[in-house]
Amino acid sequence: MKRPELLAPAGSMEALLAAVNNGADAVYLGSTRFGARAYAGNFDAQQLQQAVRYCHQHEVKVYVTVNTLIMENELDEAKALIDFLYHSDVDALILQDLGLVSWIRRAYPDFELHASTQMHIHNREGVRWVKELGMQRAVLARETPLELVQECAEEGLDLEIFVYGALCVCYSGECLMSSIQGGRSGNRGQCAQPCRMPYQLVELESGREIKAPGEYLLSPMDLNTLQHVEQLMQSGATSFKIEGRMKRPEYVGAVVRAYREKIDAILNGQPKRSDEAEQIRLKKLFNRGFTEGYLFHQQGSAVMNPLRPNHVGVQIGTVLSQRGGRVQVRLSAPLHQGDGLRILRENGEDIGFTANYIYKNDLLCAQGQSGDILELPVAEKVKPGAALLQTTDSELMKVIQAQSAQPAYRIPVCFTVCGKAGEPMVLTVSDAQGYRAEALTQQRLQPAQKAPLDKQRLVNQLGKLNDTPFVLKEVTNLLEGALFLPVQQINEARRQALAALIQLREVRYPHRGPNQRQPIQSMVIEAKSVLPKLIVQIETREQAEALLDLPVQLVSSWPALIQAYPQIMPSSLRVQEKPTVLEGEWLQAEEIGTLSRATSKLICTSGFNVTNSEALALLLSQQAVQGVEFSLELTAAQQTEIRAAFEKQFHRSAPTVQFVYGYRDLMVSKACPVNRILSDGNQRNCQLCHQKAYALKNKKGERLPVFGDAACFSHTLEKTPFQLRADELDAHSSWKIRLTLEDARTSREIVTRYLAFRAERQPTEIG
């Protein structure tokens, strides 16, 4: 069975050390710009170079996340960062922005590139396309089932899958909720996590609230696949990714060690299932409840935790009573001074505190055991029977910190000792990777009067490697005759040889040193077909009937509409694990997998997240692509800037599509709140959201409409439709209207209004 890479998060240098010392094969980290965790510790230039050197010393790879969308005015800065990372010996980049991928492929063709999960790769065709693009790895969507992972592996590209940590409720790269509602873009590394906020399911029109078990309807549990490592190893996935760049070092170290031990046991023919103690240990570090996730087809209540969106820890006791500013609790597990605790309250905020003072029989004590009755200072009112949770185990933290202080794995090295009387001793050290260094002693070897340098004495001195990344494998003694040398000389030669070996190991790609960027070849973009002036995407037969006689191009992803009205342009779905082949001269493409199987003329939608001219040019260089819609996160001014940059480079206008009206998707999710609350949470294609309109109501009272698409993936829409002002409409772009909740009359009024705007503007041809 092939050994998978164990990939660990490093949001700080402390977390990186914990990952390396507990057995990670690779770490992923962010620089201070263009990373999808803008609020993690991240690494400045000096820290990043230090991290790369340390990891390479320990035979650990470093992947840097440059996985945000790049705006046009940021391209030069992003390219400068790539220059720096290339010459800093980084092993690979994790990327989202198609334009940056395109530029790096031409500037640094030998730089290894990984397609971030933010690229929304969720089918075999998507894997195929990024492989054709020249990327070496695809990070699959967290929603990908294990069987589909196995199919994707047949494409021959390295695959990375999430095995542990936080889950997003929306497909990564497709979430605009934080951006549209709060101005903090998840695609720009600034997600405010609105999915972890309270919501209620309501009927859209009446506002009637639907009773639900909890109010955190969009908050998933945390992924934990530790019991299924062997199945994951058989899936063909190359890399097992642990989520957690915002987590503390102890979390990183303990989770890495748990997976390291599990993987190694399986490879050594000693597989075992995860035991309860191991799971409790992991729960104490951080959990919102554990799920095996979409990898193993879990749905509904097996994935979501509507009760609490934060760390729940483990229950270690129950409240018996409260008096005099203290709560009396009966323990069901040990408690130590310094532990983090929480008492759950049904009505009101939970109470979180640290166990600084513990009373037993009215006397202060440092700890308690299972069965003990203790008192803890708590001023807030608490009911008997409330659960006492341990959210931080101070003793466990000490154990993990001690484990993380020393490497779990050291690199075996071999020493060879040569020399003869009257000459310096030559000490050579080598490792299995082929690195080799040597050192000479300052003093010369002398004939031994007594106690000559035999192999055992050499092993004793050369094996002193505790403060290095190495462990002694073998010593070869090639000294000629019975010779003597002071111990200090041997030790100094050992230090010098190892220092030289470390320096060699730090640089994985020495050829990059003098390399500058390759001459950038401009992409070839062939002439394109003329785009429709006004594209109208529809959801219902009522909308179709209201618009058929108007001079617009109708688009839909609903098979019944496409079959009933031949004039409708088919559209792929934003999520399609098993894509269907759509017939037609033209096709609207919603995700990158469509590019690998296109036989039609394609219009790429906002799902491609185009925010700069490099991304626009890459898509238009694809022969099938006739037009590209901008990211919905761009302003009209930013769109104009991109068009101008494209025209400057290619000396012609780009065939682009401007979104002018409609409810924008805030989220596209495999987790349907309607089905989970009104049904069993596991049923697909229940049609409940089409029998009656529902919405998620936030604490502000805003209603966010929810509906399922043709493949039963849940779409959460913004509260009111977006619309461009008349002065923002670009005459050089095709315009797009998206109709979802609008009835026939409203649909016709909207489309007629934009047709009038269109008639007022030139040019008449788009593209």
Side-chain angles (χ1 to χ4, degrees):
M1 192 180 300
K2 189 175 180 181
R3 184 181 193 268
E5 172 188 87
L6 182 57
L7 177 59
S12 65
M13 185 61 77
E14 293 76 17
L16 181 142
L17 296 175
V20 172
N21 287 347
N22 281 284
D25 298 303
V27 298
Y28 63 101
L29 54 87
S31 74
T32 53
R33 287 302 309 275
F34 307 121
R37 290 293 182 270
Y39 305 112
N42 293 320
F43 292 72
D44 63 24
Q46 183 177 358
Q47 291 170 333
L48 193 144
Q49 290 177 325
Q50 178 186 353
V52 171
R53 289 194 296 268
Y54 181 84
C55 286
H56 286 177
Q57 290 172 19
H58 291 79
E59 201 61 28
V60 173
K61 292 183 177 181
V62 178
Y63 307 144
V64 175
T65 58
V66 191
N67 57 342
T68 62
L69 298 180
I70 312 297
M71 298 302 177
E72 186 67 32
N73 62 359
E74 297 171 332
L75 278 172
D76 288 343
E77 184 182 355
K79 292 173 182 178
L81 174 62
I82 301 306
D83 292 339
F84 167 75
L85 296 175
Y86 181 82
H87 293 102
S88 296
D89 217 44
V90 167
D91 292 276
L93 301 176
I94 303 173
L95 302 164
Q96 175 185 16
D97 192 280
L98 290 173
L100 199 56
V101 172
S102 174
W103 181 84
I104 298 170
R105 267 290 135 266
R106 290 171 288 148
Y108 295 113
D110 62 332
F111 211 164
E112 183 172 322
L113 305 183
H114 298 176
S116 169
T117 190
Q118 294 288 120
M119 273 196 185
H120 183 50
I121 298 172
H122 60 281
N123 55 37
R124 183 171 182 168
E125 288 78 4
V127 172
R128 184 182 305 149
W129 191 74
V130 296
K131 180 182 179 182
E132 293 169 356
L133 192 57
M135 306 190 82
Q136 283 75 33
R137 177 181 293 184
V139 186
L140 294 178
R142 293 171 177 86
E143 293 82 355
T144 310
L146 195 62
E147 297 82 358
L148 186 51
V149 174
Q150 294 169 334
E151 287 185 29
C152 290
E154 295 174 8
E155 291 296 322
L157 189 71
D158 281 359
L159 297 182
E160 185 177 303
I161 58 173
F162 286 85
V163 298
Y164 194 96
L167 291 172
C168 289
V169 68
C170 177
Y171 276 87
S172 293
E174 303 303 308
C175 188
L176 302 184
M177 182 176 274
S178 180
S179 176
I180 290 175
Q181 289 200 310
R184 286 173 51 176
S185 171
N187 281 322
R188 303 270 291 156
Q190 302 162 348
C191 182
Q193 293 193 308
C195 54
R196 302 292 183 185
M197 296 293 108
Y199 295 91
Q200 289 179 310
L201 186 69
V202 300
E203 292 180 358
L204 181 59
E205 296 301 325
S206 68
R208 184 179 72 88
E209 295 177 1
I210 311 297
K211 187 176 181 181
E215 57 180 354
Y216 297 96
L217 304 185
L218 298 178
S219 184
M221 297 180 186
D222 289 343
L223 181 65
N224 180 345
T225 64
L226 194 60
Q227 296 197 47
H228 299 287
V229 168
E230 189 164 8
Q231 284 176 267
L232 296 176
M233 291 172 68
Q234 294 168 347
S235 71
T238 308
S239 179
F240 292 177
K241 184 174 200 166
I242 297 167
E243 182 277 337
R245 276 196 288 149
M246 303 287 284
K247 299 293 197 305
R248 61 193 297 175
E250 292 86 355
Y251 171 96
V252 174
V255 177
V256 167
R257 183 174 288 266
Y259 275 84
R260 176 80 284 145
E261 291 176 352
K262 189 74 66 173
I263 291 169
D264 290 349
I266 292 168
L267 292 173
N268 293 331
Q270 301 169 332
K272 67 180 182 69
R273 290 184 64 82
S274 178
D275 58 32
E276 184 179 357
E278 188 174 47
Q279 291 295 329
I280 290 175
R281 175 185 169 103
L282 293 175
K283 284 181 178 179
K284 288 181 177 182
L285 294 164
F286 192 94
N287 84 93
R288 299 180 179 94
F290 282 145
T291 176
E292 294 168 0
Y294 297 107
L295 274 165
F296 297 98
H297 302 284
Q298 293 199 321
Q299 301 277 345
S301 59
V303 173
M304 308 298 290
N305 178 5
L307 299 177
R308 283 170 180 82
N310 49 13
H311 177 36
V312 299
V314 296
Q315 184 169 353
I316 63 164
T318 304
V319 173
L320 299 177
S321 63
Q322 184 177 27
R323 64 179 182 272
R326 297 181 191 173
V327 293
Q328 188 181 62
V329 298
R330 184 188 300 277
L331 295 182
S332 56
L335 168 68
H336 296 88
Q337 192 174 32
D339 286 357
L341 300 175
R342 180 180 297 152
I343 296 177
L344 301 186
R345 294 199 292 181
E346 291 182 5
N347 300 313
E349 293 293 324
D350 298 341
I351 303 167
F353 60 102
T354 301
N356 294 320
Y357 300 96
I358 304 172
Y359 297 90
K360 185 175 183 180
N361 299 323
D362 213 30
L363 298 175
L364 280 171
C365 60
Q367 62 187 17
Q369 301 301 320
S370 179
D372 286 352
I373 296 177
L374 305 177
E375 290 186 333
L376 303 167
V378 174
E380 297 92 334
K381 187 169 179 57
V382 178
K383 290 183 178 181
L388 175 69
L389 305 182
Q390 183 186 54
T391 54
T392 302
D393 184 335
S394 56
E395 293 300 305
L396 175 60
M397 290 297 156
K398 293 175 185 177
V399 171
I400 296 171
Q401 289 163 2
Q403 290 175 335
S404 299
Q406 294 292 328
Y409 169 77
R410 294 178 184 269
I411 291 93
V413 291
C414 298
F415 286 99
T416 301
V417 181
C418 301
K420 57 186 177 181
E423 295 181 355
M425 186 185 82
V426 180
L427 179 64
T428 304
V429 61
S430 60
D431 61 25
Q433 288 72 43
Y435 294 101
R436 185 183 183 89
E438 69 174 38
L440 277 68
T441 57
Q442 288 186 336
Q443 294 186 19
R444 300 174 186 273
L445 290 159
Q446 302 172 12
Q449 301 299 319
K450 57 180 180 179
L453 289 175
D454 57 16
K455 183 171 181 177
Q456 188 56 52
R457 291 191 65 192
L458 291 171
V459 166
N460 291 342
Q461 297 307 313
L462 297 177
K464 296 178 179 180
L465 303 175
N466 285 343
D467 58 346
T468 75
F470 308 113
V471 64
L472 181 63
K473 180 181 179 182
E474 185 180 2
V475 173
T476 301
N477 183 2
L478 299 180
L479 294 173
E480 299 180 18
L483 302 173
F484 169 78
L485 197 67
V487 167
Q488 296 90 334
Q489 288 288 302
I490 299 173
N491 292 342
E492 181 59 28
R494 182 194 70 231
R495 285 190 287 269
Q496 291 179 9
L498 291 176
L501 181 65
I502 286 173
Q503 194 169 13
L504 289 172
R505 291 179 59 85
E506 286 176 350
V507 182
R508 285 281 185 92
Y509 312 100
H511 66 279
R512 291 184 186 175
N515 267 21
Q516 299 303 312
R517 298 179 187 172
Q518 295 290 320
I520 305 295
Q521 299 294 321
S522 183
M523 283 177 282
V524 176
I525 298 178
E526 300 176 352
K528 302 297 181 180
S529 300
V530 176
L531 295 180
K533 301 181 190 67
L534 188 60
I535 300 169
V536 183
Q537 186 162 346
I538 61 174
E539 296 287 328
T540 68
R541 186 179 294 267
E542 184 183 19
Q543 292 164 350
E545 292 289 347
L547 304 174
L548 283 172
D549 63 321
L550 296 179
V552 300
Q553 177 60 64
L554 297 181
V555 179
S556 183
S557 59
W558 286 92
L561 290 180
I562 297 168
Q563 293 169 10
Y565 304 101
Q567 58 270 61
I568 291 180
M569 180 194 300
S571 175
S572 67
L573 291 162
R574 187 62 59 92
V575 180
Q576 40 185 4
E577 293 179 348
K578 299 286 188 179
T580 56
V581 177
L582 297 172
E583 303 291 340
E585 181 184 0
W586 287 78
L587 173 65
Q588 180 177 264
E590 290 270 21
E591 52 86 34
I592 63 174
T594 312
L595 298 176
S596 72
R597 61 180 185 276
T599 58
S600 306
K601 298 176 181 179
L602 298 182
I603 298 176
C604 296
T605 71
S606 61
F608 287 79
N609 286 324
V610 170
T611 58
N612 58 64
S613 57
E614 293 280 3
L616 178 60
L618 172 64
L619 290 176
L620 291 175
S621 70
Q622 310 296 302
Q623 185 176 6
V625 176
Q626 308 302 312
V628 177
E629 182 183 348
F630 291 112
S631 163
L632 298 182
E633 297 188 76
L634 294 181
T635 65
Q638 289 172 318
Q639 296 174 26
T640 299
E641 183 183 13
I642 295 171
R643 287 182 56 83
F646 181 94
E647 189 167 351
K648 181 179 180 181
Q649 181 176 354
F650 294 98
H651 309 292
R652 57 171 155 162
S653 295
T656 56
V657 178
Q658 184 180 40
F659 188 85
V660 299
Y661 171 90
Y663 289 92
R664 294 171 293 181
D665 281 322
L666 299 181
M667 287 188 174
V668 182
S669 179
K670 206 169 189 176
C672 177
V674 176
N675 180 265
R676 190 170 70 255
I677 293 169
L678 298 180
S679 184
D680 61 1
N682 298 311
Q683 187 177 355
R684 300 286 293 175
N685 299 306
C686 67
Q687 297 297 306
L688 290 170
C689 61
H690 297 287
Q691 296 167 14
K692 185 175 288 188
Y694 295 95
L696 293 169
K697 187 175 76 172
N698 61 23
K699 284 298 185 183
K700 297 179 182 178
E702 298 167 334
R703 299 176 193 175
L704 311 177
V706 179
F707 76 96
D709 62 23
C712 199
F713 289 92
S714 178
H715 293 242
T716 302
L717 306 180
E718 58 188 321
K719 60 180 179 179
T720 55
F722 165 86
Q723 49 190 326
L724 281 180
R725 301 191 312 266
D727 63 338
E728 295 176 317
L729 297 171
D730 178 18
H732 297 281
S733 292
S734 174
W735 297 348
K736 180 177 175 181
I737 294 171
R738 184 192 184 192
L739 301 173
T740 48
L741 307 177
E742 294 82 358
D743 59 21
R745 188 184 70 175
T746 305
S747 297
R748 191 171 181 90
E749 288 174 353
I750 293 165
V751 173
T752 301
R753 183 168 75 248
Y754 280 96
L755 280 173
F757 288 148
R758 182 88 264 179
E760 295 171 3
R761 288 159 171 78
Q762 296 295 329
T764 57
E765 290 193 354
I766 309 298

